[in-house]
Amino acid sequence: MVRPGDEFRLECRDWTDAQIGNNDSANDVRDIDLKRCHMLSGPIGIEGAEPGDLLIVDILELGPVPQQVGDAPGQGWGYTGVFAKANGGGFLTDYFPDSLKAVWDFHGQMATTRHLPGVRFTGITHPGLFGTAPSAELLERWNRREQALVDTDPDRVPPLGLTPDPEQALAGKATGSDAERIGQEGARTVPARENGGNQDIKNFTRGSRVFVPVHVKDAKLSAGDLHFSQGDGEITFCGAIEMGGYIDFHVDLIKGGMEKYGVTTNPVFMPGNVEPRYSEFMSFVGISVDHDTDTNYYMDATVAYRRACLNAVEYLKRFGYSGEQAYLLLGAAPIEGRISGIVDIPNACCSLYLPTSIFDFDVRPTAEGPKVADRGQCAVAS
Amino acid sequence: MVRPGDEFRLECRDWTDAQIGNNDSANDVRDIDLKRCHMLSGPIGIEGAEPGDLLIVDILELGPVPQQVGDAPGQGWGYTGVFAKANGGGFLTDYFPDSLKAVWDFHGQMATTRHLPGVRFTGITHPGLFGTAPSAELLERWNRREQALVDTDPDRVPPLGLTPDPEQALAGKATGSDAERIGQEGARTVPARENGGNQDIKNFTRGSRVFVPVHVKDAKLSAGDLHFSQGDGEITFCGAIEMGGYIDFHVDLIKGGMEKYGVTTNPVFMPGNVEPRYSEFMSFVGISVDHDTDTNYYMDATVAYRRACLNAVEYLKRFGYSGEQAYLLLGAAPIEGRISGIVDIPNACCSLYLPTSIFDFDVRPTAEGPKVADRGQCAVAS
Amino acid sequence: MVRPGDEFRLECRDWTDAQIGNNDSANDVRDIDLKRCHMLSGPIGIEGAEPGDLLIVDILELGPVPQQVGDAPGQGWGYTGVFAKANGGGFLTDYFPDSLKAVWDFHGQMATTRHLPGVRFTGITHPGLFGTAPSAELLERWNRREQALVDTDPDRVPPLGLTPDPEQALAGKATGSDAERIGQEGARTVPARENGGNQDIKNFTRGSRVFVPVHVKDAKLSAGDLHFSQGDGEITFCGAIEMGGYIDFHVDLIKGGMEKYGVTTNPVFMPGNVEPRYSEFMSFVGISVDHDTDTNYYMDATVAYRRACLNAVEYLKRFGYSGEQAYLLLGAAPIEGRISGIVDIPNACCSLYLPTSIFDFDVRPTAEGPKVADRGQCAVAS
Amino acid sequence: MVRPGDEFRLECRDWTDAQIGNNDSANDVRDIDLKRCHMLSGPIGIEGAEPGDLLIVDILELGPVPQQVGDAPGQGWGYTGVFAKANGGGFLTDYFPDSLKAVWDFHGQMATTRHLPGVRFTGITHPGLFGTAPSAELLERWNRREQALVDTDPDRVPPLGLTPDPEQALAGKATGSDAERIGQEGARTVPARENGGNQDIKNFTRGSRVFVPVHVKDAKLSAGDLHFSQGDGEITFCGAIEMGGYIDFHVDLIKGGMEKYGVTTNPVFMPGNVEPRYSEFMSFVGISVDHDTDTNYYMDATVAYRRACLNAVEYLKRFGYSGEQAYLLLGAAPIEGRISGIVDIPNACCSLYLPTSIFDFDVRPTAEGPKVADRGQCAVAS
């Protein structure tokens, strides 16, 4: 329990609870047990918080574990993974169906990786997941609507959604029938929802102020899934640079804030002012057409952003990276993903901005063509 | 015809060919004849351009017509419109089905409007539409795939897509059977496609360099649909601040650039470095859930961005704007629309960033609640 | 005469009244007649303005003459000059005593020059000079204090200051004894003073709002000396990219604003938000020591900035530029000049920030050393 | 001793060695013993470094002491001081001759202070002082030239410079006559010099890369005087937010780099890309005229910047701050200080940029005039 106005620190395990190692094989990504995820810290009760309030959450500071020794993610290093299509998949899983991994080394706020030589950037460090607790009524709605979606194609691989699963559910101090009920009703933490949750918004970095809807007494704030860096979309699913670490919060309340400001569903927020500055970008465009099959989708921004990502992958391959490396890079680096046009029937248009200065070579198009070089390789599963 | 290395100016009508007036009624928006759109300037042939090349297009400068007198859009003013659901619609057409309009006054690079008092911002001026000519084969693919989409629900209002329409088709110097064929086969210019086209990417502003695939001999560059400003998504459809004006291009060629750089579909580009700087944003989140019906969509970024827009509208209403005004504002102001999370099944998560400094009042949440004021009204249809 | 709230355009000759040509000789710089400078436009009276008010001057837009044809500066090109030590000098005149020139070509908001190949940048276009008219009492103070300074070393070359000079003085519509008095009492427009004047602040660009003290009835605003671009300090004296062109102003009044806001001497202002963005800089440091003679100056920021400039010149020479070219570049490019430390006795410390992206080669230090190339040459006097 | 390529952490006391307390009296500032300053950490030898090399110093990360408990500066708080004119003085010491203090509380990367209510900003955290060791020959030159300066007015208060002083000199492991000699010859660490030293460049923050001349074998890098934040000029002398803390360095070498890059005196550097972003500034201008006495100085940037600072102080007083508070603020907040014009005889022109968003009230000029409020008070000496 804390009070409005308090500042406090949470320490967080990485989201998989240290299932991934600092090595050159993606076998640990392939064999990951996703039922244990996400590992969160909390809940923290805020005195006086009541349903209908807005909980002000200031992200004062965050980072990897201060001691840069040891073997767990966050202790001087982090990882980006791609899940196999049969075990979670990712945004480009139809193109990259196997497990992949890159291990990043931290240098202050910068990251490099032996699995993507030639790349170095400043992380926009943020928590992938934080939020308040849902009310019983809200939880029931989540389970109902997500089950309805899963029911439309229950055997899909990867699945359309993840419904409550008693196996490995964390019930806190609850025991007996309470614990059992939690396992059977507790929502999985994968998606973003009305409580915030796993929004994976890279801009929740130092200095950000988030206004989170309160659904239960004391708000019950939890957080985790710290990212050293992430590109918009977190496209490889395990796509940020994942790590354990700490996060310093300041909390306060706007009583009745949901009604005052018309906040009925998601949080609202104000980003901080210390995101890394870039002034030159190599940018890619995608539209809602599957060019491989010449199929037109109606205003589908998901398809459009996927095509922009695929276009970026093809481009980077011309410089010597493998498609797998490029995919990992787009998940981890500070790329901007924008919905540019969403009304010009039938094609949504999305754009993706890759800062050129993260490369130690010239990544811009020239009349001479790209300079190909040996760019090493990422970790794969055996 | 121009040569690689040349710089030249195009003058452009506004996209509707001056069907919209500087007045306080949206009747002209309601009654617009969309068959005449877009009015483009060109095509410009580039000597030596061949299929497979990348055409370098530098946007050196652009703006409204230099003389700020007269009555056509661009002569000191521009407009943002919302089409009625029955005549084109827009991104929030289910919520705002009627015709709306705001007329903006230009003050150098800044805009204000009597229809949204309290707002003033610097435009990210750009062309909504420019691109090269398609090959006959590419044109045929467009027509085939778009027709297939329209055929899935041919009576939908608004339609899923617009197929060739001889009525009011511009055939240039062609006559007779050639002109007739153009009317029957020529693609409508509404969507973005492999040639660039109506991408409505707000970041194509001064100093941008765009690499456009060449599909026919001489490339044949056309441009138009100039926007004084636009928010990501151009959500009201006629959502930018529309105007006539001029655009100064520099062109060059990367011979064989499509193969060299793996560019198979859309253009790639590098934005300029003079976009207006903002450092504080009020930001909104949306997920791929229709909260009105509690329906869950699978990883649907379009739904998620719509919810972010709706959340922004609700927020702005608390300060005294009508929903209609807020809708118009989000189409025209320099808002950022990001795909934040696109892998956390089942919910895509999009975010929308509204610069706070475009308002002359404090738009941030406070404990006291929003300061409501009389914010006037936008133009509606009678 | 205009009214508060009005917007209007001024057209301006370049500051020398077209004495400099688009050619490859600096003879015209050498032979310039500085008595004709500055050519200003105005004065514009603002109705209701009275001494003690603050005149709000918004710089809405400005640029070279719209028609990019013809031979006068501003018609598609501009120039940077270095005056000979015997005819005006400049910040590094002891190191570069001869006349020099670079002619720049405009490409939208970008500039290049045949006299500095490898350089291309976006200009921070601004008026070098604008201000209100002084009162008779203020004018008398200027003349007295500047004469006192000149009297300390009246034969210095270049002079310490320029006092009134009837030769070529512009007296407007005044004739006879009035005109004669103006020639004998009118302050030269070279320096910045309490009325604004030739402040050469590069940040007075599009979107800037300046609050200028009013010293006489109607304020009497004049402007000119338009710069396509300039580095902090305008170190070559004629160091900006000089041009003729236009400037669009909006004016308003804060009645009694000088007292209200404690403005007793210089203007206050708010820069616009469209200055070009750079995120990487090569930076140089200088302290108030003349290293050539090992002489220490006490907290002298002028000496410190001169040393920073000299350090930048030496650095650029290693890439193949002549010192003369480097000097011209620092006057014209968007360099930042900062007073970093001004209290650490005895050494003031200044720093100079040169954007790396204005070069088309890598200007950063590497283990291999700089890549020398033939960088051409600037214009010199015969 | 470290090797090129190594990363390592230094821990640093605050520059006064904890002579200043977290309280509401400036007596400790008044009574400070400046002979003990600066407290530095080091020297660190870099293997293989030789005179003529450039030592690459990357500032990976830095901050206050990680544990935010305890009483020393850096443990959750820092201070800004103004020295009395009789004991060090500062840039405005003729206007504010007495001892002053503000104590700042840290909230992640943000700072607030009870002594300047209404202010909150993100710090540009940096080391005030770091550098390599001078050679014996260089040291002798320093002592000679600074003594020559002091000799021009040896009784001045504050002094023109500080020459070697055996009292409290730190001689490291040296003893006997060596230690005595060090006391008599060792340069005081107050100013910036050819080795870097106390440059107080606020832009040496996270991600910066500095190239420091090497004057002795092993380079011998020392660092300290950590600043949570500082404005350009550090005008109050003890003007940054002073603290103890840590700094993570990465070092490398450019062999023979001084000759390769023409670096003969000061370091060159590249700032990082995570400085806080501001987009709106209230800006002040100063020229090299002492308006109080109507005395004109020739191209004196020091005078011009002092006038800009005084103009900012006067402005802030109209909102309710005392002049003393305003002075403290300008030393500590992220203000930009620019040399704008340095050639327009006889008046240098400097400008000062104060971000408006560091205030929780509207600090821009309006027709209504400033909103005065009770702004509390800073700490003074009894």
Side-chain angles (χ1 to χ4, degrees), chain C residues 141 145 192 194 200 203 232-233 259-261 269 283 291 294 299 301-302 318 336-340 344 347 353 366-367 369, chain D residues 141 192 194 200 203 232-233 259-261 269 283 291 294 299 301-302 311 318 336-340 344 347 353 366-367 369:
Chain C
R141 287 168 60 195
R145 75 187 182 207
E194 284 88 337
D200 284 324
N203 310 93
D232 275 343
E259 171 61 24
K260 275 179 185 163
Y261 286 100
F269 72 102
S283 305
H291 300 285
D294 248 332
M299 301 274 65
T302 305
R318 303 304 163 117
E336 298 282 316
R338 290 198 184 114
I339 294 174
S340 290
D344 300 315
N347 290 347
Y353 301 76
T366 61
Chain D
R141 287 167 61 195
E194 284 87 336
D200 284 325
N203 309 94
D232 274 342
E259 171 59 26
K260 275 180 185 161
Y261 286 100
F269 71 102
S283 305
H291 300 284
D294 247 331
M299 301 274 67
T302 305
N311 285 340
R318 303 306 164 114
E336 299 282 318
R338 292 199 182 112
I339 293 174
S340 290
D344 300 315
N347 290 346
Y353 302 75
T366 61

Coordinates of all heavy atoms in Angstrom, one line a residue, chain C residues 141 145 192 194 200 203 232-233 259-261 269 283 291 294 299 301-302 318 336-340 344 347 353 366-367 369, chain D residues 141 192 194 200 203 232-233 259-261 269 283 291 294 299 301-302 311 318 336-340 344 347 353 366-367 369:
Chain C
R141 N 21.6 59.1 -27.0 CA 22.5 58.2 -26.1 C 23.3 57.3 -26.9 O 24.5 57.1 -26.6 CB 21.5 57.4 -25.2 CG 20.9 58.2 -24.1 CD 19.8 57.5 -23.3 NE 20.3 56.3 -22.7 CZ 19.5 55.3 -22.3 NH1 18.1 55.5 -22.4 NH2 19.9 54.2 -21.7
R145 N 27.4 57.3 -26.6 CA 28.2 56.2 -26.1 C 29.1 55.5 -27.1 O 30.1 55.0 -26.8 CB 27.3 55.1 -25.4 CG 26.5 54.3 -26.3 CD 25.5 53.4 -25.5 NE 24.8 52.5 -26.4 CZ 23.6 52.0 -26.2 NH1 22.9 52.3 -25.2 NH2 23.0 51.2 -27.1
A192 N 23.1 45.8 -33.2 CA 21.9 45.7 -32.4 C 21.8 46.7 -31.3 O 22.9 47.1 -30.8 CB 21.8 44.3 -31.8
E194 N 18.8 49.0 -28.5 CA 17.6 48.9 -27.7 C 16.3 48.7 -28.5 O 15.2 48.4 -28.0 CB 17.4 50.1 -26.8 CG 18.3 50.2 -25.6 CD 19.7 50.8 -25.9 OE1 20.1 50.8 -27.1 OE2 20.3 51.2 -24.9
D200 N 20.9 39.9 -35.8 CA 21.4 38.8 -36.5 C 21.2 37.5 -35.6 O 22.1 36.6 -35.5 CB 22.9 38.9 -36.8 CG 23.1 39.9 -38.0 OD1 22.3 39.8 -38.9 OD2 24.1 40.6 -38.0
N203 N 17.6 32.6 -35.0 CA 16.4 31.9 -34.6 C 15.1 32.7 -34.8 O 14.0 32.2 -34.5 CB 16.5 31.5 -33.1 CG 17.8 30.7 -32.9 OD1 18.8 31.4 -32.5 ND2 17.8 29.5 -33.2
D232 N 25.5 30.8 -35.8 CA 25.5 31.7 -34.6 C 26.8 32.6 -34.7 O 27.9 32.0 -34.8 CB 25.5 30.9 -33.3 CG 24.1 30.6 -32.9 OD1 23.1 31.3 -33.4 OD2 23.9 29.7 -32.1
G233 N 26.6 33.9 -34.6 CA 27.7 34.8 -34.6 C 27.9 35.5 -35.9 O 28.5 36.5 -36.0
E259 N 6.7 48.0 -19.1 CA 6.6 48.0 -17.6 C 6.1 46.7 -17.1 O 6.5 46.1 -16.1 CB 5.8 49.2 -17.2 CG 5.5 49.2 -15.7 CD 6.7 49.3 -14.8 OE1 7.7 49.8 -15.3 OE2 6.6 48.8 -13.6
K260 N 5.0 46.2 -17.7 CA 4.4 45.0 -17.3 C 5.3 43.9 -17.1 O 5.3 43.0 -16.2 CB 3.3 44.6 -18.2 CG 1.9 45.3 -18.0 CD 0.9 44.8 -19.1 CE -0.4 45.5 -19.0 NZ -1.2 45.4 -20.2
Y261 N 6.2 43.8 -18.1 CA 7.1 42.6 -18.2 C 8.6 42.9 -17.9 O 9.5 42.1 -18.1 CB 7.0 41.9 -19.5 CG 5.7 41.1 -19.6 CD1 4.6 41.6 -20.2 CD2 5.6 39.9 -18.9 CE1 3.4 40.9 -20.3 CE2 4.4 39.2 -18.9 CZ 3.3 39.7 -19.6 OH 2.1 39.0 -19.6
F269 N 11.6 37.4 -27.0 CA 11.0 36.7 -28.2 C 10.8 35.2 -27.9 O 11.3 34.7 -26.9 CB 11.9 36.9 -29.4 CG 13.2 36.1 -29.5 CD1 13.3 34.9 -30.2 CD2 14.3 36.6 -28.8 CE1 14.5 34.3 -30.2 CE2 15.5 36.0 -28.8 CZ 15.6 34.8 -29.5
S283 N 31.5 18.9 -32.5 CA 31.5 20.1 -31.6 C 32.9 20.5 -31.2 O 33.8 19.6 -31.0 CB 30.7 19.9 -30.4 OG 29.4 19.5 -30.7
H291 N 46.1 31.0 -27.6 CA 47.2 30.0 -27.5 C 48.4 30.3 -28.4 O 49.5 29.8 -28.1 CB 46.6 28.6 -28.0 CG 45.4 28.2 -27.1 ND1 45.6 27.7 -25.9 CD2 44.1 28.2 -27.4 CE1 44.4 27.3 -25.4 NE2 43.5 27.7 -26.2
D294 N 50.0 32.5 -25.9 CA 49.8 32.1 -24.5 C 49.4 33.2 -23.6 O 50.0 33.4 -22.5 CB 51.1 31.5 -24.0 CG 50.9 30.0 -23.7 OD1 49.8 29.6 -23.4 OD2 51.9 29.2 -23.8
M299 N 37.7 35.8 -18.5 CA 36.3 35.5 -18.7 C 35.8 36.2 -20.0 O 34.7 36.7 -20.1 CB 35.4 36.1 -17.6 CG 35.8 35.5 -16.2 SD 34.9 33.9 -15.8 CE 35.6 32.8 -16.9
A301 N 34.3 35.8 -23.3 CA 33.5 34.9 -24.2 C 33.8 35.1 -25.7 O 33.7 34.2 -26.5 CB 32.0 35.0 -23.9
T302 N 34.1 36.3 -26.0 CA 34.4 36.6 -27.4 C 35.7 35.9 -27.8 O 35.8 35.3 -28.9 CB 34.6 38.2 -27.6 OG1 33.4 38.8 -27.1 CG2 34.9 38.5 -29.0
R318 N 41.5 19.5 -42.4 CA 42.0 18.1 -42.5 C 41.2 17.3 -43.5 O 41.6 16.2 -43.8 CB 42.1 17.4 -41.1 CG 42.9 18.2 -40.1 CD 44.3 18.4 -40.6 NE 45.0 19.5 -39.9 CZ 46.1 19.3 -39.1 NH1 46.6 18.1 -39.1 NH2 46.7 20.3 -38.5
E336 N 25.5 26.1 -34.1 CA 25.1 26.6 -32.8 C 26.3 27.1 -32.1 O 27.3 26.4 -32.0 CB 24.4 25.5 -31.9 CG 23.2 24.9 -32.5 CD 22.0 25.8 -32.3 OE1 21.8 26.3 -31.2 OE2 21.2 25.9 -33.3
G337 N 26.3 28.3 -31.5 CA 27.4 28.8 -30.7 C 26.9 29.1 -29.3 O 26.1 29.9 -29.1
R338 N 27.5 28.3 -28.4 CA 27.0 28.4 -27.0 C 28.0 29.0 -26.0 O 29.2 28.6 -26.1 CB 26.5 27.1 -26.5 CG 25.3 26.6 -27.1 CD 24.7 25.4 -26.3 NE 23.5 24.9 -27.0 CZ 23.5 23.6 -27.5 NH1 24.5 22.8 -27.3 NH2 22.4 23.2 -28.1
I339 N 27.6 29.8 -25.1 CA 28.4 30.2 -23.9 C 28.2 29.1 -22.9 O 27.2 29.0 -22.3 CB 27.9 31.5 -23.4 CG1 28.2 32.6 -24.4 CG2 28.6 31.8 -22.1 CD1 27.7 34.0 -24.1
S340 N 29.2 28.2 -22.8 CA 29.0 27.0 -21.9 C 29.4 27.3 -20.5 O 28.6 27.0 -19.6 CB 29.9 25.9 -22.5 OG 29.3 25.4 -23.7
D344 N 34.2 30.2 -14.5 CA 35.3 29.5 -14.0 C 36.6 30.2 -14.2 O 37.3 30.0 -15.2 CB 35.3 28.1 -14.6 CG 34.1 27.3 -14.3 OD1 33.6 27.3 -13.2 OD2 33.5 26.7 -15.3
N347 N 38.9 31.4 -17.2 CA 38.6 31.1 -18.6 C 37.2 30.9 -18.9 O 36.5 29.9 -18.5 CB 39.4 29.7 -18.9 CG 40.9 29.9 -18.9 OD1 41.3 31.1 -19.0 ND2 41.6 28.8 -18.9
Y353 N 28.7 24.0 -32.4 CA 28.1 22.7 -32.8 C 27.8 22.7 -34.3 O 27.0 23.5 -34.8 CB 26.8 22.5 -32.0 CG 27.0 22.4 -30.5 CD1 27.2 23.6 -29.8 CD2 27.1 21.3 -29.8 CE1 27.5 23.6 -28.5 CE2 27.4 21.2 -28.4 CZ 27.6 22.4 -27.8 OH 27.9 22.4 -26.4
T366 N 37.7 9.2 -36.7 CA 37.9 7.7 -36.7 C 39.3 7.4 -36.5 O 40.2 8.2 -36.7 CB 37.4 7.1 -38.1 OG1 38.3 7.6 -39.1 CG2 36.0 7.5 -38.4
A367 N 39.6 6.1 -36.2 CA 40.9 5.7 -36.0 C 41.8 5.8 -37.3 O 43.0 6.1 -37.2 CB 40.9 4.2 -35.5
G369 N 41.6 8.2 -39.5 CA 41.9 9.6 -39.8 C 41.0 10.0 -40.9 O 40.2 9.3 -41.5
Chain D
R141 N 53.2 26.4 -18.6 CA 52.6 27.5 -19.4 C 51.3 28.0 -18.7 O 51.1 29.2 -18.6 CB 52.2 27.0 -20.7 CG 53.5 26.8 -21.6 CD 53.2 26.0 -22.9 NE 52.2 26.7 -23.7 CZ 51.5 26.0 -24.7 NH1 51.8 24.8 -25.0 NH2 50.6 26.7 -25.4
A192 N 38.6 25.7 -17.3 CA 38.8 24.8 -18.5 C 40.2 25.2 -19.1 O 40.5 26.3 -19.1 CB 37.7 25.0 -19.5
E194 N 43.6 23.2 -21.8 CA 43.9 22.4 -22.9 C 43.6 20.9 -22.7 O 43.6 20.1 -23.6 CB 45.4 22.6 -23.3 CG 45.7 23.9 -24.1 CD 46.0 25.0 -23.1 OE1 45.6 25.0 -22.0 OE2 46.7 25.9 -23.6
D200 N 32.4 22.7 -17.9 CA 31.0 23.0 -17.5 C 30.1 23.1 -18.8 O 29.3 24.0 -18.9 CB 30.9 24.3 -16.7 CG 31.4 24.0 -15.3 OD1 31.1 22.9 -14.7 OD2 32.0 24.9 -14.6
N203 N 26.2 19.9 -22.2 CA 25.8 18.9 -23.2 C 26.7 17.7 -23.2 O 26.5 16.8 -24.0 CB 25.9 19.6 -24.6 CG 25.2 20.9 -24.7 OD1 25.7 21.9 -24.5 ND2 23.9 20.8 -24.8
D232 N 23.4 27.0 -19.6 CA 24.6 27.5 -20.2 C 25.2 28.7 -19.5 O 24.5 29.7 -19.2 CB 24.3 27.9 -21.7 CG 24.3 26.7 -22.6 OD1 24.9 25.7 -22.3 OD2 23.7 26.9 -23.7
G233 N 26.5 28.5 -19.2 CA 27.2 29.6 -18.5 C 27.4 29.2 -17.0 O 28.3 29.7 -16.4
E259 N 47.2 15.3 -34.3 CA 47.8 15.8 -35.6 C 46.8 15.4 -36.8 O 46.5 16.2 -37.6 CB 49.1 15.1 -35.9 CG 49.7 15.3 -37.3 CD 49.9 16.8 -37.6 OE1 50.0 17.6 -36.7 OE2 49.8 17.1 -38.9
K260 N 46.3 14.2 -36.7 CA 45.3 13.7 -37.7 C 44.2 14.7 -37.9 O 43.7 14.9 -39.0 CB 44.8 12.4 -37.4 CG 45.6 11.2 -37.8 CD 44.9 9.9 -37.4 CE 45.8 8.7 -37.7 NZ 45.4 7.5 -36.9
Y261 N 43.6 15.2 -36.8 CA 42.4 16.0 -36.9 C 42.7 17.5 -36.6 O 41.7 18.3 -36.3 CB 41.3 15.4 -36.0 CG 40.8 14.2 -36.7 CD1 41.2 12.9 -36.3 CD2 39.9 14.3 -37.7 CE1 40.7 11.8 -36.9 CE2 39.4 13.2 -38.4 CZ 39.8 11.9 -37.9 OH 39.3 10.8 -38.6
F269 N 34.1 17.1 -29.5 CA 33.1 16.2 -28.9 C 31.9 16.1 -29.8 O 31.6 16.9 -30.7 CB 32.8 16.5 -27.5 CG 31.9 17.7 -27.3 CD1 30.6 17.6 -27.1 CD2 32.5 19.0 -27.4 CE1 29.8 18.7 -26.9 CE2 31.7 20.1 -27.2 CZ 30.3 20.0 -26.9
S283 N 12.6 33.9 -24.7 CA 14.0 34.2 -25.0 C 14.3 35.7 -24.7 O 13.5 36.5 -24.9 CB 14.3 33.8 -26.4 OG 14.0 32.5 -26.7
H291 N 23.8 49.2 -19.8 CA 22.7 50.2 -19.9 C 22.6 51.1 -18.6 O 22.1 52.2 -18.7 CB 21.4 49.6 -20.2 CG 21.4 48.8 -21.5 ND1 21.3 49.4 -22.7 CD2 21.5 47.5 -21.7 CE1 21.3 48.5 -23.6 NE2 21.4 47.3 -23.1
D294 N 25.3 53.5 -19.5 CA 25.4 53.8 -20.9 C 26.8 53.7 -21.5 O 27.3 54.7 -22.2 CB 24.8 55.2 -21.2 CG 23.5 55.1 -22.0 OD1 23.4 54.2 -22.8 OD2 22.7 56.0 -21.8
M299 N 32.3 44.5 -29.0 CA 32.2 43.1 -29.3 C 32.4 42.2 -28.1 O 33.0 41.2 -28.2 CB 33.1 42.8 -30.4 CG 33.0 43.6 -31.7 SD 31.8 42.9 -32.9 CE 30.3 43.1 -32.1
A301 N 31.1 39.6 -25.8 CA 30.0 38.7 -25.6 C 29.8 38.4 -24.2 O 28.6 38.0 -23.8 CB 30.4 37.3 -26.3
T302 N 30.7 38.6 -23.3 CA 30.5 38.4 -21.9 C 29.5 39.4 -21.4 O 28.6 39.1 -20.7 CB 31.9 38.4 -21.1 OG1 32.8 37.5 -21.7 CG2 31.7 38.2 -19.7
N311 N 18.2 40.7 -18.1 CA 16.9 40.9 -18.7 C 15.9 39.7 -18.3 O 14.8 39.9 -18.1 CB 17.0 41.0 -20.2 CG 17.5 42.3 -20.7 OD1 17.5 43.3 -19.9 ND2 18.1 42.4 -21.9
R318 N 8.6 39.7 -12.5 CA 7.3 40.2 -12.7 C 6.2 39.1 -12.4 O 5.0 39.4 -12.3 CB 7.1 40.8 -14.1 CG 8.0 41.9 -14.5 CD 7.9 43.0 -13.5 NE 9.1 43.9 -13.6 CZ 9.0 45.2 -13.9 NH1 7.8 45.7 -14.2 NH2 10.1 45.9 -14.0
E336 N 19.5 27.7 -22.7 CA 20.5 27.8 -23.8 C 21.0 29.2 -23.9 O 20.2 30.1 -23.8 CB 19.8 27.5 -25.2 CG 19.2 26.1 -25.3 CD 20.2 25.0 -25.6 OE1 21.2 25.3 -26.4 OE2 20.1 24.0 -24.9
G337 N 22.3 29.3 -24.0 CA 22.9 30.6 -24.1 C 23.7 30.7 -25.4 O 24.7 30.0 -25.5
R338 N 23.3 31.6 -26.3 CA 23.9 31.6 -27.6 C 24.6 32.9 -27.9 O 24.1 34.0 -27.6 CB 22.8 31.4 -28.7 CG 22.2 30.0 -28.7 CD 21.6 29.7 -30.0 NE 21.0 28.4 -30.0 CZ 19.7 28.1 -30.1 NH1 18.8 29.1 -30.1 NH2 19.2 26.9 -30.0
I339 N 25.7 32.8 -28.6 CA 26.3 34.0 -29.2 C 25.7 34.2 -30.6 O 25.9 33.4 -31.5 CB 27.9 33.7 -29.4 CG1 28.5 33.6 -28.0 CG2 28.5 34.8 -30.2 CD1 29.9 33.2 -28.0
S340 N 24.8 35.2 -30.6 CA 24.0 35.3 -31.9 C 24.7 36.1 -32.9 O 24.8 35.8 -34.0 CB 22.6 35.9 -31.5 OG 21.9 34.9 -30.8
D344 N 28.8 42.7 -35.5 CA 28.2 44.0 -35.9 C 28.6 45.1 -35.0 O 28.0 45.4 -34.0 CB 26.6 43.8 -35.8 CG 26.2 42.7 -36.8 OD1 26.6 42.7 -37.9 OD2 25.4 41.8 -36.3
N347 N 28.5 46.2 -31.2 CA 27.7 45.5 -30.2 C 27.6 44.0 -30.5 O 27.0 43.5 -31.4 CB 26.3 46.0 -30.1 CG 26.3 47.4 -29.5 OD1 27.3 47.9 -28.9 ND2 25.2 48.1 -29.7
Y353 N 17.7 31.3 -23.9 CA 16.5 30.6 -24.2 C 16.0 29.8 -23.0 O 16.7 28.9 -22.6 CB 16.6 29.6 -25.4 CG 17.1 30.4 -26.6 CD1 18.4 30.8 -26.7 CD2 16.2 30.7 -27.6 CE1 18.8 31.6 -27.8 CE2 16.6 31.5 -28.7 CZ 17.9 31.9 -28.8 OH 18.4 32.6 -29.9
T366 N 1.3 38.3 -22.3 CA 0.0 38.4 -22.8 C -0.5 39.9 -22.6 O 0.2 40.7 -21.9 CB -1.0 37.5 -21.9 OG1 -0.9 38.0 -20.6 CG2 -0.6 36.1 -22.0
A367 N -1.6 40.2 -23.2 CA -2.1 41.6 -23.1 C -2.4 41.9 -21.7 O -2.4 43.1 -21.2 CB -3.3 41.7 -24.0
G369 N -1.0 41.0 -19.0 CA 0.1 41.1 -18.1 C 0.4 39.9 -17.3 O -0.5 38.9 -17.2

